Amino acid sequence: MIFLNIFTSVEFYTIAVTVAILIVGFIFNPSRRSPAMTYIYAASVDFTTDAHADGKMLEIESLDDFTLLVRRRGAPLPEGSTAYINADIVDDKLTLTEKHTVNNPMAPLAGYDISVRIDCIKAARYHLRYEVPDSGLWGVDVILNRDRFNTTTRLQL
Protein backbone atom coordinates (compact mmCIF):
# COMPACT_ATOMS: atom_id res chain seq x y z
CA MET A 1 0.00 0.00 0.00
CA ILE A 2 2.84 2.36 0.82
CA PHE A 3 4.35 1.56 -2.58
CA LEU A 4 1.23 2.89 -4.38
CA ASN A 5 1.32 6.15 -2.43
CA ILE A 6 4.56 7.05 -4.23
CA PHE A 7 2.65 7.47 -7.52
CA THR A 8 0.32 10.06 -5.99
CA SER A 9 3.07 12.31 -4.59
CA VAL A 10 4.08 15.60 -6.18
CA GLU A 11 7.76 14.76 -5.83
CA PHE A 12 7.39 11.66 -8.02
CA TYR A 13 5.85 13.63 -10.88
CA THR A 14 8.44 16.39 -10.55
CA ILE A 15 11.26 13.85 -10.85
CA ALA A 16 9.49 12.04 -13.72
CA VAL A 17 9.05 15.26 -15.75
CA THR A 18 12.69 16.24 -15.12
CA VAL A 19 13.95 12.85 -16.26
CA ALA A 20 11.72 13.01 -19.36
CA ILE A 21 13.10 16.44 -20.28
CA LEU A 22 16.69 15.18 -19.86
CA ILE A 23 16.02 12.14 -22.04
CA VAL A 24 14.48 14.27 -24.80
CA GLY A 25 17.43 16.67 -24.52
CA PHE A 26 19.94 13.85 -24.98
CA ILE A 27 18.03 12.43 -27.95
CA PHE A 28 17.68 15.73 -29.78
CA ASN A 29 21.03 17.21 -28.79
CA PRO A 30 21.94 19.92 -31.30
CA SER A 31 25.17 19.52 -33.22
CA ARG A 32 28.23 20.87 -31.47
CA ARG A 33 29.98 21.79 -34.71
CA SER A 34 31.43 25.21 -35.13
CA PRO A 35 29.78 27.49 -37.67
CA ALA A 36 30.98 27.29 -41.25
CA MET A 37 33.24 30.14 -42.32
CA THR A 38 34.07 31.13 -45.90
CA TYR A 39 36.96 33.34 -46.96
CA ILE A 40 37.96 34.48 -50.44
CA TYR A 41 41.63 35.09 -51.29
CA ALA A 42 43.13 36.59 -54.42
CA ALA A 43 45.89 34.33 -55.67
CA SER A 44 49.05 35.46 -57.40
CA VAL A 45 49.45 34.13 -60.94
CA ASP A 46 53.04 34.18 -62.25
CA PHE A 47 54.56 32.65 -65.36
CA THR A 48 56.15 29.34 -64.34
CA THR A 49 59.89 28.80 -64.34
CA ASP A 50 59.57 25.01 -64.08
CA ALA A 51 59.22 23.56 -67.59
CA HIS A 52 58.30 20.10 -66.22
CA ALA A 53 55.39 21.26 -64.04
CA ASP A 54 52.03 20.00 -65.25
CA GLY A 55 49.70 21.80 -62.80
CA LYS A 56 48.80 18.59 -60.95
CA MET A 57 51.15 18.93 -57.99
CA LEU A 58 50.05 20.95 -54.98
CA GLU A 59 52.70 22.23 -52.55
CA ILE A 60 51.61 23.15 -49.02
CA GLU A 61 53.79 24.88 -46.45
CA SER A 62 52.99 26.09 -42.95
CA LEU A 63 54.78 29.33 -42.08
CA ASP A 64 55.90 30.56 -38.65
CA ASP A 65 52.94 32.95 -38.32
CA PHE A 66 50.45 30.05 -38.86
CA THR A 67 49.80 31.13 -42.42
CA LEU A 68 49.39 28.34 -44.92
CA LEU A 69 51.18 28.85 -48.25
CA VAL A 70 49.59 26.85 -51.08
CA ARG A 71 51.20 26.63 -54.54
CA ARG A 72 50.22 24.88 -57.77
CA ARG A 73 52.99 25.01 -60.38
CA GLY A 74 52.47 24.91 -64.14
CA ALA A 75 48.71 25.37 -64.23
CA PRO A 76 47.61 25.75 -67.87
CA LEU A 77 45.78 29.08 -68.18
CA PRO A 78 45.15 31.58 -70.98
CA GLU A 79 47.29 34.70 -70.86
CA GLY A 80 45.88 37.43 -68.63
CA SER A 81 43.93 35.07 -66.37
CA THR A 82 43.48 35.74 -62.68
CA ALA A 83 42.76 33.27 -59.88
CA TYR A 84 41.14 33.32 -56.49
CA ILE A 85 40.67 30.73 -53.77
CA ASN A 86 37.54 30.08 -51.71
CA ALA A 87 38.45 28.71 -48.27
CA ASP A 88 35.56 26.95 -46.50
CA ILE A 89 36.22 25.90 -42.90
CA VAL A 90 34.01 23.69 -40.74
CA ASP A 91 35.66 22.36 -37.57
CA ASP A 92 38.79 20.53 -38.79
CA LYS A 93 37.74 20.37 -42.45
CA LEU A 94 39.29 22.86 -44.87
CA THR A 95 38.07 22.99 -48.46
CA LEU A 96 40.02 25.16 -50.90
CA THR A 97 38.39 25.80 -54.27
CA GLU A 98 40.54 27.40 -56.98
CA LYS A 99 38.61 29.47 -59.51
CA HIS A 100 39.82 31.40 -62.53
CA THR A 101 38.74 34.52 -64.35
CA VAL A 102 39.68 34.32 -68.01
CA ASN A 103 39.95 37.68 -69.81
CA ASN A 104 40.54 36.22 -73.29
CA PRO A 105 39.46 32.58 -73.75
CA MET A 106 41.00 32.54 -77.24
CA ALA A 107 44.50 33.28 -75.93
CA PRO A 108 46.95 30.35 -76.06
CA LEU A 109 47.47 28.34 -72.91
CA ALA A 110 50.70 28.72 -70.95
CA GLY A 111 51.96 27.36 -67.64
CA TYR A 112 51.47 29.56 -64.59
CA ASP A 113 52.27 29.22 -60.91
CA ILE A 114 49.27 29.93 -58.70
CA SER A 115 50.05 30.70 -55.07
CA VAL A 116 47.99 31.95 -52.16
CA ARG A 117 48.51 32.61 -48.46
CA ILE A 118 45.68 31.30 -46.28
CA ASP A 119 45.67 33.16 -42.95
CA CYS A 120 42.23 32.27 -41.58
CA ILE A 121 43.06 28.97 -39.89
CA LYS A 122 44.41 28.09 -36.46
CA ALA A 123 47.55 26.20 -35.56
CA ALA A 124 45.84 22.83 -35.77
CA ARG A 125 45.43 19.68 -37.86
CA TYR A 126 43.03 19.89 -40.84
CA HIS A 127 41.56 17.54 -43.39
CA LEU A 128 42.19 19.39 -46.65
CA ARG A 129 40.22 19.02 -49.87
CA TYR A 130 41.54 21.03 -52.83
CA GLU A 131 39.35 21.43 -55.92
CA VAL A 132 39.82 23.03 -59.33
CA PRO A 133 36.34 22.92 -60.92
CA ASP A 134 37.51 24.40 -64.25
CA SER A 135 39.71 21.38 -64.96
CA GLY A 136 38.07 18.75 -62.73
CA LEU A 137 41.20 18.31 -60.60
CA TRP A 138 40.91 17.49 -56.92
CA GLY A 139 43.02 16.15 -54.08
CA VAL A 140 42.80 15.38 -50.38
CA ASP A 141 45.41 15.45 -47.64
CA VAL A 142 45.85 15.92 -43.90
CA ILE A 143 47.83 19.02 -43.00
CA LEU A 144 49.28 20.42 -39.81
CA ASN A 145 49.38 24.21 -39.61
CA ARG A 146 52.41 24.51 -37.32
CA ASP A 147 56.06 23.50 -36.96
CA ARG A 148 56.98 24.48 -40.55
CA PHE A 149 54.96 21.57 -41.93
CA ASN A 150 55.54 20.83 -45.65
CA THR A 151 53.81 18.39 -47.95
CA THR A 152 52.94 17.84 -51.59
CA THR A 153 49.71 16.39 -52.90
CA ARG A 154 49.10 15.00 -56.36
CA LEU A 155 45.83 16.27 -57.83
CA GLN A 156 43.77 13.80 -59.82
CA LEU A 157 40.88 13.86 -62.26
Side-chain angles (χ1 to χ4, degrees):
M1 197 70 170
I2 297 174
F3 184 69
L4 294 175
N5 286 339
I6 294 173
F7 293 112
T8 60
S9 68
V10 175
E11 291 85 6
F12 171 77
Y13 288 105
T14 303
I15 292 172
V17 168
T18 304
V19 169
I21 289 172
L22 288 173
I23 290 172
V24 169
F26 282 121
I27 291 172
F28 296 106
N29 188 15
S31 175
R32 294 191 176 150
R33 298 179 73 174
S34 64
M37 303 296 288
T38 300
Y39 300 89
I40 300 173
Y41 293 96
S44 64
V45 179
D46 301 312
F47 191 73
T48 189
T49 56
D50 186 0
H52 300 293
D54 61 356
K56 292 184 180 178
M57 192 61 72
L58 188 67
E59 300 171 1
I60 303 164
E61 180 183 356
S62 174
L63 304 177
D64 290 332
D65 61 353
F66 306 120
T67 299
L68 201 65
L69 181 60
V70 180
R71 282 187 221 102
R72 187 164 76 103
R73 296 190 189 277
L77 295 174
E79 185 179 333
S81 297
T82 59
Y84 63 95
I85 306 290
N86 285 348
D88 297 319
I89 306 167
V90 178
D91 290 333
D92 66 342
K93 293 167 185 58
L94 173 63
T95 303
L96 300 178
T97 306
E98 177 184 312
K99 298 191 178 182
H100 308 117
T101 303
V102 178
N103 295 334
N104 183 5
M106 302 307 285
L109 295 178
Y112 290 92
D113 293 341
I114 298 172
S115 61
V116 65
R117 295 173 67 102
I118 308 292
D119 61 359
C120 61
I121 59 177
K122 302 174 189 172
R125 183 175 157 245
Y126 289 93
H127 298 277
L128 172 71
R129 178 171 176 86
Y130 194 90
E131 301 172 344
V132 187
D134 294 347
S135 61
L137 294 172
W138 63 276
V140 293
D141 204 344
V142 176
I143 60 170
L144 186 64
N145 189 26
R146 63 175 180 254
D147 303 329
R148 303 288 294 175
F149 176 81
N150 288 318
T151 188
T152 57
T153 300
R154 184 92 176 145
L155 300 178
Q156 53 193 337
L157 287 172

